[in-house]
Amino acid sequence: MDMESTGSEKDRQEIAERFLGQARLDRYRRELPDLEKALALHSWNQEYAGALHVILSYAEIALRNSIDRALSQLSASELGTTHWTGVDSYRYNGEKKPSERMRLPSAISPLIRTDVFKAHQHAQEASLERIIRRKSPRTDRGYGHQDVLSQLMFGTWCRLVGEPYTSRRTERTQRLWTSVLHEAFPQVSSGEDGRIQIARKLMQLREIRNREAHHENLLYVDPENVIDAVMSLLASIDPRYTHGWVNPDIVRQVSYRDPRRNEPIRAAAFKLTGLDARDGHLNALEVLKELVRYSDDHNGRVLFCNSVRVRNQYFGRLREIVLYADNDHIAVGVIAAQGLIKENTSPDGKAPGYRCPDVFAQSGSCSGSRWYAINNLSMTSRSADSFRMLERDKTLREAFESTRANFVYLK
């Protein structure tokens, strides 16, 4: 390599750091150390964000319109108008706080009154913009219910459904759900189980939507998990929405072009052993099932700790984790983050939102030299024979059952 090419590479790296930012570029180089490959990964991430944005937007549109229909019924019975956003009783005149003149149904006012007021502000500003710049064929000087509705954020609908658990904090959303909001999701239970089911889907989609909207990396967002959440949400509103209206294959096609697919290090597999937990001894299969159950109950997030020391040159390049109880019981998840556990410290602060199952943590079995924040850990129908060891002519089962190893790298 001559001096000119070396200088050119340094210049390109400097420009990339200034353009993307050091922290952002470093994140991609942790995945693919080569600068050009890292930049290709960043470019792919932007394309992936665009594909996700399309199907998420369909989910948000269907969600907004379905909730609007349900709340319109509530408003008609209480206020005598289907315009539950208060446009019949209020026009924004520069106030900084919601006015008492803005009449909303009593069941939703405490939950989203401020959101609706801000939407009024934005609708008023858009109305003035239409007049000043003549950018719209509309000639009216006011704004209506649909204008306010279009200005409400995804978070507004999440607040109406509430948190995905039952507590005193969710009493208002529980009452709203039972009285009318469940009608927006006729394919799920009208009881608390149905509300929690929808709340979990909305929490998952909102997190991904916020990440793509703020140009964050989506390197460990599982496309099938997003597709499943979008399609199941649409099905809960109207099963007909899932046929011919949203094309999830676009997301799959972009996902398949992930530059990391050609990298040799893909997964690390661990053979589980039994442990003494709070309620007695758990065998390997019981440990595996508890990890999967915890992941299902906590928005697809669980923390796995193991004392096996993974070699540092491979550690940062792992994409997937395979937890092996026996040949018929194997779980697979995506590694969202990973790190070392220092003595007398907990990994919880390093991976917010990820925790070991409570029964593990109380038994002290969460301690170890490595931690892995895992997304969407679930049982797989694949057999151990289908997992091939990296650069060796052995399968996962052969490695674990013949050599008694409890850790291997997989292709």
Side-chain angles (χ1 to χ4, degrees):
M1 182 180 296
D2 56 30
M3 293 297 293
E4 183 176 349
S5 62
T6 302
S8 178
E9 288 179 6
K10 290 182 178 180
D11 290 343
R12 183 160 174 76
Q13 178 167 330
E14 181 182 356
I15 294 172
E17 290 174 355
R18 291 173 63 86
F19 180 45
L20 299 178
Q22 181 72 56
R24 179 185 294 266
L25 182 60
D26 286 348
R27 179 66 188 88
Y28 290 93
R29 296 197 76 170
R30 285 201 298 272
E31 298 290 321
L32 299 174
D34 179 82
L35 176 61
E36 295 305 320
K37 289 183 178 181
L39 294 176
L41 182 61
H42 179 271
S43 178
W44 169 83
N45 184 81
Q46 301 305 96
E47 184 183 6
Y48 188 37
L52 291 175
H53 178 78
V54 172
I55 65 168
L56 290 172
S57 66
Y58 277 111
E60 183 171 359
I61 290 169
L63 174 70
R64 178 178 68 193
N65 291 331
S66 188
I67 290 180
D68 176 46
R69 288 190 291 270
L71 296 185
S72 293
Q73 299 175 31
L74 174 67
S75 182
S77 63
E78 181 178 334
L79 303 178
T81 174
T82 59
H83 297 163
W84 59 268
T85 54
V87 295
D88 293 340
S89 62
Y90 174 68
R91 287 293 184 273
Y92 167 64
N93 291 312
E95 298 95 336
K96 293 184 178 180
K97 294 190 298 184
S99 169
E100 293 300 324
R101 292 175 296 164
M102 187 172 69
R103 297 175 61 214
L104 304 181
S106 58
I108 68 173
S109 184
L111 298 171
I112 61 169
R113 186 177 182 83
T114 300
D115 289 7
V116 174
F117 180 79
K118 290 179 179 179
H120 272 274
Q121 290 179 305
H122 296 317
Q124 171 75 359
E125 292 164 2
S127 174
L128 295 174
E129 185 76 4
R130 286 196 301 271
I131 297 168
I132 295 171
R133 297 186 180 272
R134 300 180 183 273
K135 287 186 175 181
S136 169
R138 288 177 54 178
T139 57
D140 60 296
R141 303 177 67 86
Y143 63 92
H145 172 73
Q146 291 297 325
D147 297 297
V148 177
L149 196 66
S150 68
Q151 297 291 342
L152 291 170
M153 299 291 101
F154 192 85
T156 300
W157 317 123
C158 295
R159 277 186 280 279
L160 286 171
V161 176
E163 300 293 338
Y165 52 78
T166 301
S167 72
R168 293 188 62 182
R169 292 182 57 187
T170 63
E171 287 178 354
R172 285 196 176 101
T173 54
Q174 289 177 59
R175 289 194 294 268
L176 179 62
W177 175 269
T178 302
S179 65
V180 68
L181 196 60
H182 70 272
E183 296 178 9
F185 309 94
Q187 303 303 313
V188 302
S189 166
S190 60
E192 179 67 354
D193 289 346
R195 187 192 69 81
I196 291 176
Q197 179 182 340
I198 295 300
R200 284 176 176 167
K201 288 183 175 63
L202 294 184
M203 176 183 288
Q204 178 184 358
L205 294 178
R206 185 185 185 186
E207 179 181 357
I208 296 169
R209 183 185 181 278
N210 288 344
R211 290 186 67 85
E212 62 92 1
H214 291 92
H215 314 298
E216 297 181 26
N217 80 76
L218 304 167
L219 300 175
Y220 289 102
V221 172
D222 184 349
E224 293 303 325
N225 193 43
V226 179
I227 291 169
D228 178 68
V230 167
M231 301 306 281
S232 61
L233 178 65
L234 292 175
S236 71
I237 298 172
D238 190 330
R240 294 173 297 181
Y241 291 172
T242 62
H243 303 286
W245 295 96
V246 180
N247 181 13
D249 286 339
I250 295 175
V251 175
R252 293 190 178 103
Q253 291 166 6
V254 175
S255 173
Y256 192 80
R257 294 197 290 270
D258 185 340
R260 295 171 296 176
R261 291 181 63 87
N262 298 322
E263 292 299 298
I265 306 300
R266 297 296 301 172
F270 294 87
K271 183 175 178 63
L272 300 180
T273 58
L275 61 85
D276 292 323
R278 179 185 59 194
D279 299 323
H281 185 78
L282 301 178
N283 61 34
L285 178 56
E286 291 169 333
V287 171
L288 181 62
K289 288 182 175 179
E290 181 62 25
L291 286 166
V292 172
R293 185 198 65 78
Y294 189 91
S295 177
D296 290 341
D297 291 346
H298 293 80
N299 199 32
R301 295 179 174 183
V302 67
L303 197 68
F304 172 72
C305 303
N306 197 288
S307 59
V308 174
R309 297 190 63 85
V310 181
R311 285 176 290 180
N312 289 329
Q313 65 265 38
Y314 293 145
F315 186 56
R317 297 168 63 191
L318 299 177
R319 316 277 181 252
E320 192 175 56
I321 194 164
V322 177
L323 302 182
Y324 178 97
D326 56 55
N327 190 48
D328 297 319
H329 298 94
I330 302 171
V332 179
V334 177
I335 299 175
Q338 52 197 298
L340 288 167
I341 301 176
K342 297 182 180 180
E343 189 175 358
N344 299 322
T345 62
S346 169
D348 295 345
K350 297 289 187 179
Y354 296 84
R355 295 183 63 87
C356 292
D358 295 337
V359 65
F360 293 2
Q362 293 185 19
S363 70
S365 61
C366 195
S367 61
S369 60
R370 300 283 191 187
W371 60 264
Y372 303 84
I374 305 175
N375 286 344
N376 310 317
L377 183 68
S378 58
M379 304 299 289
T380 178
S381 59
R382 293 175 62 186
S383 70
D385 294 333
S386 65
F387 292 93
R388 305 296 302 183
M389 292 182 63
L390 182 68
E391 299 176 353
R392 298 179 189 174
D393 188 21
K394 283 187 177 182
T395 66
L396 179 64
R397 180 175 61 180
E398 291 170 331
F400 282 154
E401 295 185 357
S402 63
T403 66
R404 301 183 62 82
N406 62 352
F407 166 78
V408 294
Y409 289 111
L410 302 175
K411 290 184 179 180

